């Protein structure tokens, strides 16, 4: 599938399906270093997103239109830290993707914009055991892939792989932002829930565009 408007709808539906399947895994991660609601938070948000997609009266004109619907729905339904963070990520991404189809450069720009949104909103930097530890390596890998002339499918695949690795590497980190930072050293040894769901979002993008 080319990375067009139809793909963006498939991507978001796939995210919703995977979040629903894996929500107890995310809540378990959040039980270790947070307040045990990350799976429910995201599931509530993406369930509402799918309802809004199903209710659309006419097909969206651009990928940005789809991502903006995701952003506003997550902001109004998720709550917690991750609602505004993912909401801002998708809002910035929507502005970067105001086109009917993505090439490799545009796919990379979408991911960089999402990273910028999360950074601006949450003020975390790499190494603080947050979703930034997945978004940042993903954006770097995407930029490198686009630079090499690769297409959107390859860019998302590179980003997904880097995000998954970044999420894995949060296990060794001590949290200094968000709720997990209250645990200090005791946050070490647990995987960050938000970094894990960021990897899911990018894995869904890569899988659906193949
Ligand atoms: P809450 O912590 O309010 O219960 P969630 O459980 O839904 O919200 O989301 C927690 C996730 O949010 C964390 O695992 C982390 O990845 C992310 N997070 C929290 N604070 C920040 C921040 N300042 N910057 C980036 N990500 C953050
Ligand atoms: Mg939580
Ligand atoms: Mg909470």
């Amino acid at each position: 599938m080319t990375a067009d408007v139809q793909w963006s709808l498939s991507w978001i539906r796939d995210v919703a399906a995977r979040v629903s399947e894996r929500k107890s895994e995310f809540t378990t991660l959040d039980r270790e270093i947070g307040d045990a609601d990350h799976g429910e938070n995201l599931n509530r948000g993406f369930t509402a997103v799918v309802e809004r997609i199903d209710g659309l009266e006419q097909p969206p004109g651009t990928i940005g239109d789809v991502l903006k619907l995701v952003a506003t729905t997550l902001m109004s339904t998720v709550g917690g830290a991750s609602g505004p963070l993912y909401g801002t990520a998708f809002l910035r991404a929507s502005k970067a993707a105001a086109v009917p189809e993505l090439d490799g450069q545009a796919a990379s720009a979408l991911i960089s914009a999402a990273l910028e949104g999360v950074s601006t909103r949450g003020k975390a930097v790499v190494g603080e055991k947050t979703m930034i530890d997945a978004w940042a390596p993903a954006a770097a890998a995407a930029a490198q892939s686009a630079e090499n002339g690769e297409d959107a499918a390859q860019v998302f695949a590179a980003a997904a792989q880097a995000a998954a690795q970044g999420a894995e590497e949060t296990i060794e980190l001590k949290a200094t932002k968000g709720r997990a930072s209250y645990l200090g050293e005791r946050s070490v040894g647990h995987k960050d829930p938000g970094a894990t769901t960021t990897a899911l979002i990018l894995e869904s993008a890569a899988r659906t565009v193949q």
Side-chain angles (χ1 to χ4, degrees):
M1 195 180 230
T2 50
D4 58 10
V5 177
Q6 273 312 312
W7 158 77
S8 71
L9 292 167
S10 305
W11 169 28
I12 299 307
R13 286 184 187 281
D14 192 67
V15 172
R18 305 284 161 164
V19 165
S20 163
E21 274 168 24
R22 294 177 60 189
K23 73 174 178 201
S24 61
E25 171 193 337
F26 305 138
T27 289
T28 298
L29 292 176
D30 198 29
R31 182 169 296 121
E32 305 289 351
I33 58 169
D35 59 352
D37 64 0
H38 189 60
E40 277 73 23
N41 284 347
L42 276 200
N43 190 47
R44 182 179 338 108
F46 277 96
T47 300
V49 168
V50 168
E51 278 166 14
R52 291 204 196 167
I53 289 175
D54 287 340
L56 285 175
E57 275 165 19
Q58 35 186 323
T62 68
I63 292 164
D65 293 339
V66 174
L67 303 184
K68 189 169 178 199
L69 176 152
V70 175
T72 55
T73 309
L74 294 181
M75 282 180 186
S76 62
T77 58
V78 175
S82 61
L85 289 165
Y86 277 136
T88 311
F90 278 98
L91 193 62
R92 295 288 183 101
S94 79
K95 291 177 183 155
V99 288
E101 193 175 321
L102 304 175
D103 60 12
Q105 290 288 350
S108 165
L110 184 164
I111 296 166
S112 291
L115 165 64
E116 238 179 74
V118 176
S119 307
T120 306
R121 183 79 207 196
K123 312 271 185 270
V125 296
V126 167
E128 293 195 286
K129 199 179 182 98
T130 72
M131 60 173 74
I132 289 287
D133 293 307
W135 282 113
Q144 185 60 62
S145 168
E147 180 115 328
N148 295 343
E150 297 183 344
D151 66 13
Q154 292 167 304
V155 167
F156 281 119
Q161 213 251 318
Q165 190 183 330
E168 222 34 71
E169 288 171 5
T170 64
I171 294 171
E172 297 313 319
L173 298 173
K174 181 176 102 178
T176 53
K177 279 278 189 319
R179 208 175 269 285
S181 66
Y182 309 156
L183 293 180
E185 289 295 340
R186 282 185 295 138
S187 66
V188 176
H190 303 285
K191 193 170 170 182
D192 179 63
T196 309
T197 54
T198 294
L200 176 155
I201 289 168
L202 290 168
E203 282 157 12
S204 282
R207 180 183 319 106
T208 48
V209 81
Q210 289 304 312

